[in-house]
Amino acid sequence: QEIRSLLHSARGEKGKSVMDLLVQIFAQTIYDNPRDPLTNFELVSQEVKENSFRYFIESKKEKHGGNLEELLKYAAEAQTLIGRPKEENEEGVLVDVAPEALAHIPDLLEERELLRWAGIDIGEEEALRLQNSLKKLMKDKGAKDIRLWGKISGTEKDYYIVEGNGEGAEEEIERPADFEKRGEGINTFTYWVTDGAFGAWTELPDINPAHIKAAREIRKLFTGRLDAPVISNPHFPGLEKELLRAQIARITHSTVLIQKGLFKTVEDSPAEIEAEEEPVILNSEQLKSLGNWVHQHPNILKCGRVSHMEPEPVDEEIDVEILKAQILEADPLEDRLKPLEKDTPLTGFEAAWISRYLGDQQEYETTFPVKGKITYAVNLIKSLWWPGAVILQQNGKMIHFYRGDGLKSATRRYYPVTPPFIVEDPVDRQEEKDPYPEKQPEEPKAEGEEVNQEDED
């Protein structure tokens, strides 16, 4: 018994015990049935060692180094996500109760399978943890209509970002005149961030147009600390949390798409859209064309807003309508539901988007939920202006996700280039005597005088 325990406990680098190795050697020997098993024993052992696979799953104990304190901490954090609500009964004992109904949240495990077509995988366990973390966010913060917006990488920590509508009151601080209140313009949605599924969700502040304009002029990697200062040139008027919120707004208004035929512009107000009375539902085969996709949100203007403010003429003689026309000419509005074909192509490319039709493109007959044809193919659309922004569609299901560093494709230099090499020093010139000496030099003697002096000697 002691020998058997020793064979089971002694493990190598691949996680296999001596007993496991012996079992494989005996199985291989029985399969090969050699004439002289004893002579070939060492060769079989070497072959099994070199060609065996490692089916060894790292346990939580080994993952945390076997530290009991870290294991208990991990279990306590996990309990906050999966624990059932409790309340006292008549006897004063805490008992489990049925959780209250919540608003709809996306199924991250299902979305994870779609995201893998774009090369993005948050992991099965992490997706489950985030799923429970979203439920906790809805209970604690009163968030509604939420979705996992994406993940932005930082130099120290990363940001998980959730988009939704919050019930929290606006901050009672002084705002500039061009500020768009919560629920409108660049502050249409509320965003929460965390650095991990076990971490607390922090609501990002509403931003001003000045934040948008400054964010367009700088390129700054995030650190993962919301209160970190933003050191840049030109100056950014805020901390990292305002810069993060500004970049999220820019990405959202530029990359959220919907299929053509679901909405239309309002006749009296071209800047607004409404649902079509008879929407046209396109199938996956039709949606592989970029011409069948349009932008859902309005573009952000140069002024940092979604719409222009009512101008205030300085002089009463100036016509307000003429002033509005001048503002629109300098900063024009783009058409709502703008097709992707009208987007400015990225420098060096023929378009601003890339479309791919992936997977099984065969059509199949179906009777549930409705009779018709379906395909298991996936439409993948990537933004070239915002690397990391993807849209995936399959059989009526569509998700938007961003995974990147929060920076737009660079088309111009933001900082001076490296200066040229320093020119080598010139060769020193030969020094010459001063043309104006302090004493008058002696005059050279003539040749005849030198001869006469030699004769006298």
Side-chain angles (χ1 to χ4, degrees):
Q1 187 67 25
E2 293 180 0
I3 296 177
R4 179 175 295 181
S5 300
L6 179 62
L7 294 177
H8 279 290
S9 60
R11 294 182 178 273
E13 296 180 355
K14 295 185 177 182
K16 288 182 175 292
S17 66
V18 178
M19 180 63 75
D20 296 334
L21 180 62
L22 290 174
V23 170
Q24 289 188 353
I25 293 174
F26 293 149
Q28 188 68 31
T29 303
I30 295 172
Y31 179 80
D32 293 339
N33 191 19
R35 292 183 179 182
D36 191 357
L38 183 59
T39 304
N40 297 331
F41 186 84
E42 294 181 357
L43 296 176
V44 175
S45 175
Q46 185 67 23
E47 183 179 358
V48 169
K49 287 181 180 179
E50 293 178 353
N51 300 308
S52 60
F53 293 96
R54 175 177 179 257
Y55 298 101
F56 183 67
I57 302 175
E58 185 181 33
S59 65
K60 294 297 181 184
K61 181 178 180 180
E62 292 172 345
K63 180 179 180 180
H64 295 278
N67 191 328
L68 180 60
E69 184 178 352
E70 293 183 2
L71 284 173
L72 294 175
K73 181 181 177 181
Y74 179 87
E77 291 174 340
Q79 187 65 27
T80 60
L81 298 181
I82 63 177
R84 294 175 62 88
K86 298 179 181 294
E87 65 178 19
E88 292 185 1
N89 57 12
E90 298 178 355
E91 300 176 357
V93 180
L94 290 176
V95 295
D96 293 340
V97 295
E100 61 181 359
L102 296 175
H104 174 266
I105 62 173
D107 185 355
L108 296 187
L109 292 173
E110 183 181 355
E111 291 189 353
R112 170 182 171 263
E113 295 299 325
L114 269 181
L115 288 174
R116 294 176 66 183
W117 285 100
I120 301 172
D121 191 0
I122 58 179
E124 186 176 7
E125 291 185 8
E126 185 71 359
L128 182 59
R129 286 192 290 264
L130 285 171
Q131 182 85 19
N132 288 283
S133 185
L134 293 185
K135 294 191 292 185
K136 192 172 185 298
L137 171 63
M138 297 181 69
K139 296 175 183 177
D140 297 344
K141 305 291 186 180
K144 297 179 180 179
D145 304 325
I146 63 174
R147 72 177 180 97
L148 185 61
W149 184 90
K151 184 178 183 180
I152 289 182
S153 302
T155 57
E156 300 177 16
K157 295 183 291 186
D158 300 337
Y159 291 115
Y160 280 114
I161 303 166
V162 167
E163 177 188 272
N165 296 314
E167 296 180 350
E170 295 185 28
E171 300 180 21
E172 295 181 358
I173 60 176
E174 185 178 355
R175 297 288 190 179
D178 57 356
F179 173 73
E180 292 180 304
K181 65 181 182 179
R182 176 169 294 188
E184 297 180 1
I186 57 177
N187 294 314
T188 300
F189 301 103
T190 305
Y191 295 91
W192 295 268
V193 297
T194 184
D195 59 358
F198 292 141
W201 291 95
T202 303
E203 182 178 333
L204 294 179
D206 296 332
I207 53 174
N208 307 323
H211 294 133
I212 295 290
K213 290 187 285 187
R216 286 170 169 166
E217 299 298 323
I218 64 175
R219 290 180 64 82
K220 183 73 174 178
L221 290 174
F222 295 99
T223 64
R225 295 181 288 111
L226 293 175
D227 294 331
V230 179
I231 303 174
S232 63
N233 182 24
H235 171 70
F236 181 82
L239 301 176
E240 183 168 297
K241 55 186 176 182
E242 281 85 12
L243 177 60
L244 177 62
R245 179 64 181 82
Q247 292 299 88
I248 291 174
R250 295 178 63 198
I251 296 171
T252 300
H253 283 262
S254 300
T255 62
V256 175
L257 311 178
I258 54 175
Q259 71 170 57
K260 183 173 64 176
L262 298 181
F263 292 87
K264 64 179 181 179
T265 56
V266 180
E267 295 182 1
D268 300 334
S269 180
E272 298 180 2
I273 61 175
E274 60 182 1
E276 287 276 7
E277 296 178 358
E278 298 181 359
V280 179
I281 307 299
L282 303 179
N283 57 32
S284 298
E285 178 72 20
Q286 295 170 317
L287 290 175
K288 70 180 182 181
S289 171
L290 291 177
N292 288 326
W293 293 90
V294 296
H295 288 273
Q296 181 177 0
H297 300 308
N299 70 302
I300 301 179
L301 302 171
K302 297 178 182 178
C303 64
R305 290 169 51 93
V306 169
S307 60
H308 290 293
M309 297 179 61
E310 288 294 327
E312 297 181 0
V314 180
D315 192 350
E316 296 181 355
E317 297 180 357
I318 300 178
D319 190 355
V320 177
E321 297 300 327
I322 296 178
L323 190 57
K324 287 183 179 180
Q326 293 175 349
I327 294 175
L328 286 174
E329 184 178 0
D331 191 3
L333 295 169
E334 292 187 356
D335 297 335
R336 291 300 308 271
L337 304 177
K338 185 181 71 170
L340 301 190
E341 298 171 344
K342 293 186 177 181
D343 287 349
T344 304
L346 181 65
T347 305
F349 293 84
E350 297 180 355
W353 300 83
I354 293 178
S355 177
R356 294 289 183 269
Y357 196 45
L358 310 172
D360 184 5
Q361 303 176 16
Q362 174 67 45
E363 289 188 345
Y364 299 95
E365 298 286 346
T366 180
T367 57
F368 182 83
V370 293
K371 187 176 181 180
K373 296 180 179 180
I374 63 170
T375 179
Y376 301 120
V378 177
N379 277 301
L380 169 62
I381 300 176
K382 291 185 176 182
S383 172
L384 295 178
W385 281 108
W386 291 99
V390 297
I391 299 93
L392 294 126
Q393 180 273 337
Q394 182 186 40
N395 288 335
K397 181 176 181 57
M398 183 175 65
I399 59 173
H400 294 76
F401 197 83
Y402 179 83
R403 181 67 176 94
D405 53 13
L407 298 180
K408 192 175 183 179
S409 295
T411 56
R412 61 186 177 94
R413 298 186 183 274
Y414 285 81
Y415 297 99
V417 296
T418 305
F421 293 104
I422 299 175
V423 180
E424 297 182 357
D425 294 336
V427 179
D428 294 337
R429 295 182 178 181
Q430 184 178 0
E431 295 184 358
E432 301 290 345
K433 293 182 178 180
D434 190 355
Y436 302 101
E438 296 180 357
K439 295 181 180 181
Q440 184 177 1
E442 296 181 0
E443 295 182 0
K445 295 181 181 181
E447 295 181 359
E449 294 180 358
E450 293 180 356
V451 173
N452 294 337
Q453 187 175 1
E454 292 178 355
D455 293 343
E456 292 177 358
D457 295 341

